[in-house]
Amino acid sequence: MAVDETLISKYFNWSDAKIVAFQKALLEWYDREGRQLPWRVDHDPYHVFVSEIMLQQTQVQTVIPYYLDFIASFPTVGELASAPESKLLKAWEGLGYYSRVRNMQKAAQQIMRDYAGQWPTTAAKLQTLTGIGPYTAAAIASIAFNQPIAAIDGNAFRVFARLLKIDLDISKSQTRPVFQAIGDRLISVARPGDFNQAIMDLGTSYLTAKQPDAEHSPVRDFDESLADGTTLAYPVKTKKAKPIDFYYYALAIQSPEGWLFEQRPTKGMLARLWMLPLIDRDDLTTSDPKEVLAELSTLFQQETEIHAEFHEVEMKPVIHTFTHQKWHIQIVQAKLTSTPNLSLFSGKWLSLAAIAEAPLPTVQLKLNQQLFV
DNA sequence: GATCCGTGGTG
DNA sequence: TCACCAAGGAT
């Protein structure tokens, strides 16, 4: 809570007059050139909430169609709270970070149960809701309820780091309180929501990460890194690790009732979404292609007593890169003349129509492209 | 506090 | 191909 005052004053010692001038320059620009976005047509806390969750680590252009569909399907927090999970996951299909939508429903249920459907108005209370952290709580509190608290996202880190030449590593958790304290001193008490959104618009226009145009920004006169030509030195951030390679076979098994799909476990990657069964190549005793197919066939027959003749599909492996993992998937196919009982694979036989209804991760959509087109 | 959790775009 | 980025949060 108590942020080291000497650390703050190392980077920030603007006068009140300078702060006011900064707010004026920023907000006048925002009034002139701020983006028109679907979630900016009103300040409904539910609308702000849905958009902010979707925008976590996701670009505006990606979010827009999902936001419009989501609000149409689940218009109120009460309808979100009572929606079936499968519908929610389907609405989120392709957006990534799928735990966001399940946490969003938990938060909606907390609103209904603990707050009688009325949103709490302070960032502190909002942050107790599942899936709402310091950034999202500040965004909702400031935009929907005019609370003067800075929303420190990637844009705010970058903008403030450049303006004030803050050389703290923004990937370290101790850094956030410093930016929070400085942002809270800079923010316009009269228009906190617009201030936060203006900082974000600034971060996606003149002060972008790779090709900034700081010399034309509306706050160029307040930009200390522009003054000495060190814009690109900020923000300081440690590099991310390279994704780890994984090698799988995807079993494309077709019976008269459809294709065998599995729902992924409740926790971990792509939780509760549907995919073809994946066999880790490291779990097989051989890497010789012919022996692999024989082993898969044996594996399947053990449980079914149905003869399954697997064959490698003549297609390139599907390669899909996540943040931390890179999957190399070779499809193997088998067509069954009757439908066996399942025990080895805890899956379901899905018709093409059912596959279209099920929530699928993008890597499975890639597999579908190879199989069903 | 380091790691996990997706996807699409860009140079 | 690859590294990096984009309105973060939970564990």
Side-chain angles (χ1 to χ4, degrees):
Chain A
M1 140 100 237
V3 185
D4 185 356
E5 187 62 33
T6 61
L7 183 56
I8 294 175
S9 59
K10 174 183 177 185
Y11 299 107
F12 182 71
N13 50 18
W14 288 8
S15 68
D16 288 348
K18 185 168 183 177
I19 292 173
V20 170
F22 173 78
Q23 294 169 351
K24 185 168 186 293
L26 180 69
L27 289 171
E28 286 184 351
W29 167 75
Y30 181 71
D31 289 338
R32 245 181 6 256
E33 300 183 32
R35 290 173 291 181
Q36 309 285 323
L37 297 169
W39 46 87
R40 287 181 177 176
V41 299
D42 59 42
H43 292 166
D44 182 319
Y46 177 66
H47 294 165
V48 178
F49 167 64
V50 172
S51 67
E52 292 300 340
I53 299 294
M54 286 187 168
L55 286 161
Q56 290 169 4
Q57 299 291 282
T58 310
Q59 299 192 124
V60 164
Q61 293 310 313
T62 302
V63 164
I64 289 175
Y66 282 93
Y67 173 82
L68 294 172
D69 286 348
F70 198 94
I71 293 298
S73 299
F74 313 101
T76 66
V77 65
E79 288 166 277
L80 170 58
S82 60
E85 184 195 61
S86 60
K87 297 284 188 187
L88 292 178
L89 284 173
K90 190 65 183 174
W92 212 265
E93 183 181 274
L95 200 50
Y97 287 141
Y98 298 94
S99 64
R100 286 185 291 175
V101 70
R102 285 191 300 275
N103 288 339
M104 211 164 67
Q105 182 172 44
K106 288 181 187 172
Q109 291 166 347
Q110 289 173 277
I111 295 286
M112 300 308 288
R113 186 187 65 237
D114 300 340
Y115 294 94
Q118 296 298 308
W119 286 82
T121 61
T122 66
K125 285 186 178 176
L126 287 164
Q127 204 177 325
T128 67
L129 302 172
T130 306
I132 295 183
Y135 162 73
T136 306
I140 298 173
S142 63
I143 298 170
F145 301 115
N146 289 311
Q147 300 292 306
I149 180 168
I152 306 299
D153 70 332
N155 289 304
F157 273 121
R158 186 172 58 257
V159 169
F160 294 150
R162 285 177 177 168
L163 293 184
L164 302 171
K165 295 187 64 173
I166 304 173
D167 55 3
L168 302 174
D169 186 339
I170 66 168
S171 60
K172 297 201 176 299
S173 52
Q174 317 95 279
T175 300
R176 170 177 290 275
V178 179
F179 279 75
Q180 184 71 56
I182 292 174
D184 288 347
R185 298 184 191 193
L186 280 172
I187 197 168
S188 162
V189 175
R191 300 176 59 188
D194 288 342
F195 178 94
N196 281 330
Q197 294 183 92
I199 293 293
M200 296 183 224
D201 280 18
L202 190 59
T204 60
S205 56
Y206 293 100
L207 293 181
T208 59
K210 289 184 178 178
Q211 295 188 319
D213 182 20
E215 53 269 34
H216 296 110
S217 108
V219 294
R220 56 185 170 276
D221 294 342
F222 304 85
D223 192 331
E224 296 172 12
S225 68
L226 171 64
D228 64 5
T230 58
T231 296
L232 289 176
Y234 302 91
V236 176
K237 181 160 56 170
T238 54
K239 296 177 181 175
K240 292 176 181 176
K242 281 201 298 189
I244 302 169
D245 291 297
F246 288 86
Y247 296 86
Y248 295 110
Y249 290 106
L251 305 186
I253 306 173
Q254 188 178 19
S255 85
E257 292 188 21
W259 298 80
L260 180 61
F261 272 75
E262 285 185 314
Q263 189 170 27
R264 294 182 56 84
T266 308
K267 295 186 176 181
M269 291 270 293
L270 310 177
R272 300 186 64 73
L273 277 71
W274 292 82
M275 284 197 71
L276 296 182
L278 296 180
I279 304 291
D280 192 327
R281 292 197 192 187
D282 293 339
D283 292 344
L284 300 178
T285 61
T286 178
S287 60
D288 180 280
K290 291 179 181 175
E291 294 179 20
V292 163
L293 297 178
E295 190 168 341
L296 289 176
S297 186
T298 303
L299 197 65
F300 201 64
Q301 287 173 51
Q302 279 174 353
E303 296 295 321
T304 65
E305 299 179 5
I306 300 292
H307 184 63
E309 192 73 34
F310 286 89
H311 57 277
E312 204 156 345
V313 182
E314 316 98 16
M315 50 180 66
K316 292 179 181 176
V318 167
I319 298 176
H320 188 80
T321 304
F322 302 90
T323 305
H324 293 283
Q325 297 183 12
K326 185 174 182 179
W327 287 6
H328 306 253
I329 305 175
Q330 179 63 53
I331 298 176
V332 293
Q333 260 186 312
K335 189 163 186 173
L336 308 182
T337 52
S338 63
T339 302
N341 289 322
L342 296 169
S343 55
L344 175 60
F345 300 107
S346 57
K348 285 185 179 177
W349 301 100
L350 299 185
S351 67
L352 288 181
I355 292 170
E357 290 287 314
L360 311 177
T362 295
V363 62
Q364 179 59 49
L365 297 177
K366 289 184 183 177
L367 295 170
N368 287 1
Q369 281 290 324
Q370 305 257 358
L371 286 167
F372 305 136
V373 177

